[in-house]
Amino acid sequence: MKVFFSLIRATADRLTFLPWILALMAGLILVSTDLGHDLEQRLSNIRADILEKPASGEIVIVEIDARSLQMLDRGPWPRDYYAKALEKLNQAGATQIAFDIDFSSRSAEENDRTFADAIRKSEATVILPTFRQQGATGRSEFVENLPIPMLRENAFLASVNVSPDSRGQLNRYYYGTTTAATARPSLASMIAETPGHIDESFAIDQSIDPVSIPRLSFIDLMRFDNLSTTLMGKKVLIGATAIELGDRYSVSRFGVIPGVVIQALASETLIQGTNLQDLGKYWTFLIAAALLFVCIISRKISSRGLIAIAFATAFALLVLLLTTEYLRLFTFSNVPALCFLFVFIVSQKFLSTTTALETSQYVDERSGLPNEAALLRDIATKGLHHIATARLADFRELLVLTNKNSRRNLFENLASRLKFLARDDRLYHVDFDMVAWIVKREYIDDIPGHFATAIALLQAPVMAGGTKIKIDATYGISNASLDESKIASEQALASGSKWAWHDDQFDQAIGQKHDLLVELDQAIEDQRLGVVYQPKWDISQNRLNGAEALVRWNHPERGMISPEIFIPLLEKAGRIDGLTFQVLQQTLNDLSRWNQRRPGLSCSVNISAKLLGDSDFVRAAIAMVDEARVDNRQIVFEVTETATLTDPEQSIIALELIQDSGIRVSIDDYGTGQSTLSYLQRLPVSEIKLDQSFVRTMTSDNANRVMVKSTIRMAHDLGLKIVAEGIEDQACFELLTQYGCDIGQGWYISKPVATAIFERDWLISGLEEARSSA
């Protein structure tokens, strides 16, 4: 490492231009390829957010929406509907009526004639769509689909063709299309009455808020009169917005939206004059490169100054682009220039800090104190003696109370206090919340007095800038190693003492935890862990719904060991999958047998948060259920609410795989995390399970009662079933029944019981019938 840094320093002067050359290569790659397209689109969306503006109001969309389909017909509609629409729009004073609807095939002769007559009589200009498509599979020629002859006699024709990019997004729009030597203006060009070169495109202005485009439901157009206040002097665009009719495209800022809205946005772009000339991506890149080249060859600007100039140039280019787009002058691409500047800044920073890195490897950046590496170096050169450590309590709160500068001041003052105890007056910052020192020789014979002095030195608050901070700490000491001293401070914290020598028994406790994990692995391999079942009661149907499978470990020597102990051990060791597979297989075997006496019961199996992001486990678990002699819908995978919050996107992928296989998904412990029902709506789940801490206290705690009631109502509104666990008395059960809770679970219904007892009591002896009639 030292040789590496020496080489860097020796060649730094000769490599003055290296950051510029690397940045130039990166910029040239982006200029000559399409690698920066995604970044360009993201920056465009950010600018659109900043420059967002409403639609002009000149265009009104008459939308064929879900309500229109419900109240008229599902379609295709008879064309006399459109004839009546033309009549109503003319009566309301519309000046232009454009259709984004395919009229290229004939319908009933009488209806076609009625629509054609309405077009002929229309005082408003009528625009009908054409579209260009491939003539035949595998052929290169294209043909144009036109409205039937009688309809196009008195109408203008416009192309509605759109072309999503390679990523499937529709962010650009053509002025027109050419098919078989016939040029057609696009629908947007016709609506906006804006000419343009056929086969040239412009960027759709996504700073126009599509929600601000006036809309009128087709059914309202047909039912109501006196629409002149809405439609007088307006240009009307008629098209489908109902999801079931398709015709939807993805745009970068708004996601998937109806095609007719895209046509309206393109028209608004032309009306508002924001189809700006694109100056390309070369000139800003060349300006940035030339500016920094001049600064470098001047040799009068420091490395820090060059970085500052690069930052200022990037900011200026961003402001310039925003300004030119706001003033509707022109647009251009900043991505190659920004990439050049970013690579230059990173490379320049690397070269300028290599020397500093060598010296700072022995200093903690957060505190400015010597770090663990410095302590180990000093021990190696000056001998070990005794090492003391102080673990600072509530250190995260100290981070909140201080900033970078005041935190450094805090550690400086802390070191000043404790230096009287340390050899060479040196305090070391050896861990996130821990400082250490080598004990002075004069204190070796009185270690209790040494730490009594340390405790006394920290009685008074320590200054952090202008703030007084009270610091508490637990101390450890070892005459063998720094690691042992750290362990001793943990031992003091665990035992409630202020300080402790390193104790081999503490190491033995850690070893016992390891031994327990080894025994647990063997128990899983020998299938000596048992599964018990807690019945789940369908409150609305007043019958048994199924059960939840719970794992139990009866150790031959230690007795019953709580899952709260051994499951975290397996999760931390990354071995929870083996136990989960064993529980799932046992559940599938039992459920298959129960189906012979009572088909249709469900059974829940808990899935650890650690496994939700493991795609191999998810697929293997699904395969195991697929191979079992049960309906996949009888199995419910319970995942905790906090598990879905750890990595939402990965959770959605995993849960979709599970749900698509037919296995149901339940969110366990709802209410203990930070999610909301609106967030859970994004997840492919079928039920949520209220945490028992709310259910148990709902009869006596009004806040929890309100929370339970509102959650049940909102879950039902979202189409989710809700399970309440922790029902321990009749009053709680009756209250949940009153609130419409779907499924209950708890000791009032039954404790978890062994498989044989569950079968005897719930499937054979008639306990279900007795409870149903109670």
Side-chain angles (χ1 to χ4, degrees):
M1 183 62 72
K2 289 184 178 180
V3 172
F4 171 75
F5 283 117
S6 298
L7 288 173
I8 290 293
R9 287 198 307 275
T11 57
D13 291 337
R14 289 178 292 173
L15 296 179
T16 304
F17 280 95
L18 180 59
W20 187 86
I21 294 171
L22 293 174
L24 185 70
M25 292 172 60
L28 288 173
I29 290 172
L30 283 188
V31 165
S32 59
T33 66
D34 193 35
L35 293 177
H37 178 84
D38 288 339
L39 178 57
E40 182 65 57
Q41 204 58 63
R42 289 177 184 272
L43 292 175
S44 177
N45 291 343
I46 293 172
R47 297 197 303 276
D49 286 337
I50 296 172
L51 300 174
E52 185 173 273
K53 54 185 172 289
S56 66
E58 292 185 29
I59 299 173
V60 176
I61 297 176
V62 172
E63 53 181 337
I64 302 173
D65 53 8
R67 191 161 63 91
S68 299
L69 295 179
Q70 183 178 12
M71 300 187 71
L72 292 170
D73 300 306
R74 284 289 170 183
W77 286 347
R79 287 176 180 164
D80 55 357
Y81 282 17
Y82 304 120
K84 184 177 179 182
L86 281 177
E87 180 183 350
K88 301 274 286 188
L89 290 170
N90 275 279
Q91 291 173 357
T95 61
Q96 188 187 77
I97 304 166
F99 287 87
D100 187 17
I101 300 169
D102 182 14
F103 296 122
S104 61
S105 59
R106 297 182 182 275
S107 67
E109 179 71 21
E110 180 182 351
N111 291 336
D112 287 345
R113 180 60 58 191
T114 301
F115 187 28
D117 289 342
I119 295 174
R120 179 175 54 81
K121 295 175 183 177
S122 174
E123 295 181 8
T125 303
V126 177
I127 304 173
L128 297 182
T130 75
F131 55 94
R132 176 177 180 260
Q133 62 179 354
Q134 197 170 13
T137 304
R139 300 288 184 87
S140 59
E141 70 272 10
F142 288 84
V143 298
E144 185 178 21
N145 279 40
L146 300 170
I148 61 176
M150 72 170 67
L151 297 183
R152 64 177 185 256
E153 288 176 357
N154 297 288
F156 289 95
L157 302 183
S159 169
V160 293
N161 277 90
V162 292
S163 299
D165 61 22
S166 59
R167 296 161 180 80
Q169 291 189 337
L170 183 56
N171 298 313
R172 300 190 67 81
Y173 190 94
Y174 283 90
Y175 287 101
T177 57
T178 302
T179 308
T182 301
R184 297 279 186 204
S186 66
L187 187 62
S189 295
M190 289 284 285
I191 292 173
E193 301 175 25
T194 302
H197 195 282
I198 296 295
D199 293 327
E200 285 189 0
S201 66
F202 60 90
I204 296 172
D205 184 1
Q206 295 187 47
S207 68
I208 300 171
D209 183 4
V211 176
S212 68
I213 301 174
R215 299 194 189 191
L216 178 66
S217 176
F218 193 93
I219 186 63
D220 291 338
L221 174 66
M222 302 292 278
R223 292 169 55 190
F224 300 134
D225 296 321
N226 302 321
L227 294 172
S228 57
T229 54
T230 303
L231 299 172
M232 179 66 70
K234 303 296 184 181
K235 300 179 178 184
V236 176
L237 178 56
I238 303 174
T241 60
I243 294 176
E244 51 264 48
L245 294 182
D247 190 30
R248 301 175 81 81
Y249 298 92
S250 173
V251 295
S252 63
R253 185 182 178 208
F254 303 112
V256 178
I257 60 177
V260 68
V261 177
I262 293 176
Q263 297 286 354
L265 282 175
S267 304
E268 284 284 346
T269 301
L270 296 177
I271 288 172
Q272 299 194 33
T274 52
N275 53 323
L276 305 178
Q277 179 185 3
D278 190 342
L279 300 184
K281 52 189 176 182
Y282 292 94
W283 67 281
T284 53
F285 166 58
L286 293 176
I287 286 175
L291 174 63
L292 285 176
F293 182 82
V294 171
C295 291
I296 292 171
I297 63 174
S298 70
R299 296 185 178 276
K300 295 180 180 179
I301 302 174
S302 66
S303 176
R304 182 175 295 180
L306 290 172
I307 292 174
I309 291 172
F311 271 117
T313 304
F315 180 76
L317 290 176
L318 292 172
V319 171
L320 176 64
L321 181 54
L322 272 174
T323 303
T324 58
E325 289 188 345
Y326 175 75
L327 297 176
R328 303 179 186 181
L329 300 175
F330 53 82
T331 188
F332 53 89
S333 172
N334 262 336
V335 170
L338 293 177
C339 177
F340 168 85
L341 294 168
F342 173 77
V343 173
F344 178 85
I345 290 169
V346 171
S347 303
Q348 188 69 42
K349 186 68 175 175
F350 174 78
L351 286 178
S352 65
T353 57
T354 48
T355 303
L357 282 173
E358 183 184 14
T359 57
S360 65
Q361 63 179 314
Y362 294 112
V363 176
D364 188 282
E365 183 181 358
R366 294 163 297 188
S367 62
L369 295 178
N371 60 15
E372 181 171 337
L375 173 59
L376 296 177
R377 180 193 61 188
D378 290 348
I379 290 173
T381 57
K382 299 180 181 180
L384 176 61
H385 302 291
H386 290 67
I387 302 174
T389 53
R391 183 177 296 276
L392 307 180
D394 301 324
F395 190 73
R396 295 187 184 275
E397 294 183 12
L398 296 182
L399 296 180
V400 175
L401 295 171
T402 57
N403 56 33
K404 182 177 181 180
N405 293 330
S406 62
R407 197 174 307 128
R408 276 183 170 256
N409 182 242
L410 172 71
F411 275 100
E412 288 171 0
N413 292 329
L414 178 65
S416 179
R417 292 269 187 96
L418 297 178
K419 70 179 183 180
F420 302 106
L421 304 172
R423 189 180 69 183
D424 300 328
D425 297 336
R426 282 171 65 86
L427 201 72
Y428 303 85
H429 195 171
V430 295
D431 211 335
F432 176 72
D433 58 350
M434 187 179 294
V435 294
W437 62 91
I438 300 174
V439 178
K440 281 184 176 180
R441 289 186 179 275
E442 52 264 37
Y443 288 106
I444 296 298
D445 295 330
D446 185 18
I447 295 301
H450 175 81
F451 286 119
T453 302
I455 294 168
L457 288 172
L458 294 184
Q459 285 295 318
V462 179
M463 296 299 298
T467 305
K468 293 181 178 180
I469 303 291
K470 182 68 175 73
I471 293 180
D472 193 15
T474 53
Y475 304 90
I477 188 168
S478 168
N479 60 358
S481 71
L482 172 62
D483 288 340
E484 286 190 358
S485 181
K486 289 181 178 181
I487 294 172
S489 67
E490 290 185 8
Q491 179 188 355
L493 181 65
S495 63
S497 304
K498 294 301 292 183
W499 69 276
W501 279 96
H502 173 258
D503 187 352
D504 289 338
Q505 291 183 354
F506 193 73
D507 293 346
Q508 292 173 7
I510 297 175
Q512 288 175 1
K513 185 180 290 187
H514 176 74
D515 292 342
L516 189 64
L517 182 60
V518 172
E519 293 174 5
L520 183 55
D521 284 338
Q522 190 63 48
I524 294 173
E525 183 178 341
D526 297 342
Q527 297 188 345
R528 286 190 280 106
L529 273 74
V531 176
V532 297
Y533 296 97
Q534 185 169 32
K536 297 169 70 175
W537 187 259
D538 190 324
I539 298 175
S540 59
Q541 300 293 325
N542 201 27
R543 66 180 183 183
L544 182 68
N545 171 268
E548 178 182 0
L550 302 167
V551 65
R552 294 292 184 266
W553 185 17
N554 190 357
H555 192 282
E557 298 174 1
R558 306 173 192 261
M560 290 297 293
I561 298 178
S562 170
E564 301 295 329
I565 295 176
F566 65 81
I567 287 181
L569 278 177
L570 287 173
E571 288 179 328
K572 189 173 182 180
R575 305 176 196 171
I576 190 63
D577 54 342
L579 175 62
T580 306
F581 282 134
Q582 183 175 324
V583 173
L584 178 58
Q585 188 60 63
Q586 182 64 52
T587 302
L588 292 170
N589 294 342
D590 291 339
L591 193 58
S592 173
R593 189 172 63 257
W594 299 344
N595 275 342
Q596 299 174 16
R597 179 178 293 272
R598 175 67 184 276
L601 290 179
S602 68
C603 205
S604 302
V605 177
N606 290 283
I607 304 297
S608 167
K610 298 285 187 181
L611 298 177
L612 197 58
D614 185 343
S615 59
D616 291 337
F617 167 82
V618 171
R619 295 182 188 279
I622 292 172
M624 186 180 292
V625 177
D626 286 340
E627 294 171 2
R629 292 181 298 173
V630 300
D631 189 325
N632 286 20
R633 290 173 297 180
Q634 291 180 260
I635 296 297
V636 181
F637 281 178
E638 290 192 8
V639 297
T640 61
E641 176 191 359
T642 50
T644 66
L645 291 168
T646 303
D647 187 347
E649 299 307 319
Q650 182 63 38
S651 297
I652 290 174
I653 293 172
L655 296 180
E656 283 178 345
L657 279 175
I658 295 169
Q659 195 85 307
D660 290 345
S661 73
I663 300 170
R664 291 181 290 151
V665 177
S666 176
I667 296 298
D668 196 9
D669 298 339
Y670 177 75
T672 58
Q674 300 299 316
S675 69
T676 62
L677 280 174
S678 60
Y679 164 74
L680 294 180
Q681 189 180 17
R682 295 178 52 207
L683 302 177
V685 302
S686 54
E687 70 177 36
I688 61 175
K689 196 170 185 181
L690 271 170
D691 186 67
Q692 57 184 312
S693 61
F694 301 102
V695 176
R696 283 178 176 171
T697 58
M698 62 180 291
T699 55
S700 58
D701 188 317
N702 184 61
N704 284 348
R705 185 161 58 251
V706 170
M707 186 270 187
V708 170
K709 184 177 181 180
S710 61
T711 302
I712 292 172
R713 183 177 64 253
M714 288 188 289
H716 287 165
D717 289 342
L718 295 176
L720 301 174
K721 287 200 169 190
I722 191 154
V723 180
E725 61 176 338
I727 304 174
E728 296 190 350
D729 53 51
Q730 184 175 352
C732 179
F733 182 84
E734 290 176 351
L735 201 54
L736 288 168
T737 304
Q738 177 185 333
Y739 292 163
C741 182
D742 299 297
I743 298 168
Q745 181 180 349
W747 283 22
Y748 175 71
I749 297 166
S750 173
K751 296 180 180 180
V753 294
T755 305
I757 297 175
F758 180 84
E759 293 176 356
R760 182 196 68 195
D761 290 350
W762 292 93
L763 304 183
I764 300 174
S765 70
L767 181 58
E768 178 185 8
E769 289 77 4
R771 177 174 286 277
S772 298
S773 59

